């Protein structure tokens, strides 16, 4: 028994000594290896590389290509983006990157729709993009449309966007015409509504399907309120225009529906009362309703009187008057002012600048009642 006990003790002593030697050698290795043991040409594995994630929205937008000026525009337009959570914001930007949108595009989109990044753009994203690419014909055209109207990614896809697009296609607007309206009229999808009365208005204009003005007539009537349309037609009737003449005018110049009742009323009052023209002239020359009353119509009419008093040629009268009112500012000055001797030019320029600077009575104290959407 004793020899066996002796062998067991000897074996435990040898194991203990071996462990002490290994620990001491390992300690020496740790103390002496103070330099890098990686060869210069050795490549680290991807798992060994430290991945730096952006900590806040500022770093995210900078990585996206936005400069300090871009950041200033974004945060001034929507201050809450400064404290936006990094992960959701980065996720949305990654979705937008698949559409080819750049940092400058993001700045324009935020300026247009400040709360864009508060929306759930990931909802039905793939289905929506497939539908829009098919509608616009290419991803590049879709990118341009999204910069113009970012809400294309936020509208209710199944209950709002698809039904409205289908409605316009049913009425007769599709393809390039529909694309042009979607880009030029960002409110087309959320504000469109049609009923029997609106369809009757479209017929009254006399504009046929496939004609150049059809898409403008249909889209503007579609996004306008019935009460607003009635109010604008009644406003023109007050100046001696018949209902038939008014709808014919709207068929030829549908953008009149975008003008406020107040602007049309002031221009019509000046044209009929001061210029002594008949309503028929306005029907034949709709630009008189679009012209700026204070910057174009009034100053040029006052200059026409001044030229008549000074007996200078050319005179602004007759058919020349309508041409003069449609001229650009540079051409108008060259034709009617700069053609005279220098002393006369100086006098006429001084008079014309003074006429353009005149304000209507109590203009500075007038309270402007804004009704919001002018349609």
């Amino acid at each position: 028994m004793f020899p066996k006990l002796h062998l067991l003790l000897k074996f435990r002593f040898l194991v203990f000594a071996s462990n002490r030697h290994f620990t001491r050698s390992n300690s020496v290795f740790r103390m002496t290896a103070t330099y890098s043991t990686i060869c210069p040409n050795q490549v680290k594995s991807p798992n060994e590389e430290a991945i730096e994630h952006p900590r806040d929205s500022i770093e995210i937008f900078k990585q996206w290509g936005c400069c300090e000026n871009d950041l200033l525009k974004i945060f001034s337009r929507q201050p809450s983006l400064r404290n936006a959570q990094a992960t959701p914001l980065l996720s949305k930007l990654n979705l937008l990157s698949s559409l080819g949108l750049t940092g400058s595009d993001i700045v324009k989109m935020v300026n247009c729709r400040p709360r864009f990044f508060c929306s759930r753009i990931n909802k039905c994203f793939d289905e929506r993009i497939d539908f829009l690419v098919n509608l616009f014909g290419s991803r590049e055209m879709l990118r341009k449309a999204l910069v113009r109207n970012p809400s294309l990614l936020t509208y209710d896809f199944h209950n709002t966007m698809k039904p409205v697009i289908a409605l316009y296609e049913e009425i007769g607007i599709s393809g390039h015409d529909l694309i042009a309206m979607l880009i030029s009229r960002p409110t087309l999808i959320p504000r469109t509504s049609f009923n029997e009365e609106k369809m009757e208005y479209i017929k009254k204009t006399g504009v046929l399907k496939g004609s150049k003005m059809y898409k403008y007539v249909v889209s503007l009537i579609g996004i306008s309120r019935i009460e607003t349309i009635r109010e604008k037609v009644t406003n023109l009737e007050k100046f001696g225009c018949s209902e038939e003449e008014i709808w014919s005018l709207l068929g030829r110049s549908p953008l009149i529906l975008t003008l406020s009742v107040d602007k049309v009323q002031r221009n019509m009052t000046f044209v009929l009362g001061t210029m002594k023209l008949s309503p028929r002239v306005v029907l034949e020359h709709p630009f008189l309703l679009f012209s700026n009353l204070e910057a174009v119509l009034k100053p040029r009419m006052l200059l026409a009187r001044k030229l008549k008093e000074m007996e200078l040629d050319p005179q602004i009268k007759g058919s020349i008057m309508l041409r003069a009112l449609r001229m650009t500012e540079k051409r108008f000055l060259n034709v009617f002012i700069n053609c005279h001797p220098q002393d006369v030019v100086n006098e006429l320029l001084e008079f014309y600048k003074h006429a353009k600077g005149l304000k209507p009575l109590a203009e500075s104290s007038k309270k402007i009642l804004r009704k919001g959407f002018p349609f």
Side-chain angles (χ1 to χ4, degrees):
M1 178 177 179
F2 289 104
K4 292 182 179 180
L5 180 61
H6 177 72
L7 290 174
L8 180 61
L9 292 174
K10 186 175 181 180
F11 176 75
R12 290 186 63 182
F13 174 78
L14 291 174
V15 171
F16 177 73
S18 175
N19 288 339
R20 287 191 63 187
H21 176 72
F22 174 78
T23 304
R24 186 176 302 170
S25 301
N26 191 34
S27 175
V28 172
F29 171 76
R30 288 198 302 267
M31 291 177 60
T32 57
T34 58
Y35 52 87
S36 174
T37 59
I38 301 177
C39 298
N41 297 328
Q42 182 177 348
V43 180
K44 294 183 180 181
S45 64
N47 295 332
E48 294 176 350
E49 293 182 356
I51 302 175
E52 295 184 2
H53 293 283
R55 294 171 296 179
D56 52 29
S57 60
I58 296 178
E59 289 187 3
I60 291 176
F61 283 121
K62 284 184 176 180
Q63 288 183 4
W64 204 258
C66 297
C67 62
E68 293 295 335
N69 190 35
D70 293 336
L71 291 176
L72 181 62
K73 292 179 181 178
I74 291 174
F75 295 141
S76 61
R77 191 73 174 125
Q78 183 61 17
S80 63
L81 282 176
R82 187 182 295 273
N83 300 320
Q85 295 182 2
T87 302
L89 179 60
L90 189 59
S91 174
K92 293 175 181 178
L93 286 171
N94 287 333
L95 289 177
L96 297 178
S97 69
S98 65
L99 303 176
L101 294 164
T102 62
S104 60
D105 294 333
I106 298 300
V107 175
K108 295 175 184 177
M109 293 170 72
V110 172
N111 183 65
C112 181
R113 296 287 187 275
R115 295 184 58 81
F116 173 72
F117 282 103
C118 299
S119 306
R120 297 174 60 187
I121 64 175
N122 58 330
K123 189 176 182 181
C124 302
F125 184 80
D126 293 333
E127 184 181 3
R128 185 192 302 266
I129 295 304
D130 291 340
F131 177 81
L132 291 175
V133 169
N134 183 59
L135 176 65
F136 286 95
S138 68
R139 299 181 78 87
E140 178 60 23
M141 282 299 298
L142 174 58
R143 186 192 68 81
K144 293 179 180 179
L146 290 176
V147 173
R148 182 76 174 84
N149 182 16
S151 296
L152 289 171
L153 295 177
T154 62
Y155 294 137
D156 188 328
F157 181 61
H158 294 287
N159 298 322
T160 302
M161 178 180 287
K162 292 183 71 175
V164 169
I165 298 298
L167 180 59
Y168 276 106
E169 291 177 344
E170 181 182 350
I171 294 175
I173 300 179
S174 59
H176 293 293
D177 289 342
L178 182 56
I179 292 173
M181 292 300 96
L182 286 171
I183 294 177
S184 63
R185 299 286 170 196
T187 57
L188 190 72
I189 291 178
R191 296 188 181 276
T192 290
S193 66
F194 285 102
N195 54 23
E196 292 183 2
E197 188 173 356
K198 284 190 174 184
M199 297 305 294
E200 185 63 27
Y201 288 159
I202 295 173
K203 292 180 181 178
K204 286 183 178 181
T205 62
V207 180
L208 302 176
K209 288 184 180 180
S211 63
K212 183 178 179 180
M213 304 306 297
Y214 184 73
K215 59 180 177 289
Y216 300 104
V217 171
V218 172
S219 60
L220 287 172
I221 290 179
I223 64 178
S224 300
R225 295 186 287 259
I226 288 289
E227 298 78 8
T228 305
I229 297 175
R230 293 172 185 164
E231 185 181 5
K232 292 181 178 181
V233 171
T234 303
N235 185 43
L236 286 170
E237 286 180 333
K238 293 177 182 178
F239 295 97
C241 302
S242 67
E243 184 178 357
E244 184 179 353
E245 291 174 331
I246 293 171
W247 284 113
S248 176
L249 172 65
L250 294 177
R252 290 180 287 109
S253 184
L255 291 178
I256 291 176
L257 287 172
T258 66
L259 301 177
S260 67
V261 172
D262 181 60
K263 176 174 176 56
V264 172
Q265 194 169 28
R266 287 188 290 112
N267 279 33
M268 286 292 290
T269 300
F270 181 80
V271 170
L272 273 60
T274 304
M275 297 177 63
K276 306 300 181 183
L277 300 177
S278 68
R280 185 171 296 278
V281 175
V282 178
L283 296 174
E284 295 174 355
H285 303 279
F287 79 89
L288 292 169
L289 296 177
F290 293 94
S291 297
N292 190 303
L293 180 61
E294 311 302 332
V296 177
L297 297 182
K298 281 187 178 181
R300 295 188 183 186
M301 284 305 302
L302 291 174
L303 184 67
R305 293 178 182 177
K306 182 69 172 178
L307 293 173
K308 185 177 180 180
E309 292 175 1
M310 299 177 66
E311 298 181 352
L312 296 173
D313 289 324
Q315 295 280 318
I316 304 177
K317 59 182 180 180
S319 59
I320 298 179
M321 179 185 300
L322 295 175
R323 289 172 54 195
L325 294 175
R326 298 192 66 172
M327 289 180 181
T328 63
E329 187 74 0
K330 182 178 179 180
R331 177 167 172 74
F332 179 80
L333 293 176
N334 289 333
V335 173
F336 297 104
I337 295 181
N338 295 333
C339 60
H340 299 291
Q342 190 59 44
D343 56 337
V344 178
V345 169
N346 294 337
E347 182 180 353
L348 292 176
L349 278 177
E350 185 67 26
F351 176 85
Y352 185 62
K353 290 179 181 179
H354 178 72
K356 294 190 71 171
L358 290 177
K359 290 185 178 181
L361 184 63
E363 176 73 15
S364 59
S365 60
K366 184 174 71 172
K367 293 182 179 180
I368 300 176
L369 179 61
R370 299 190 182 278
K371 297 182 181 180
F373 191 60
F375 297 37

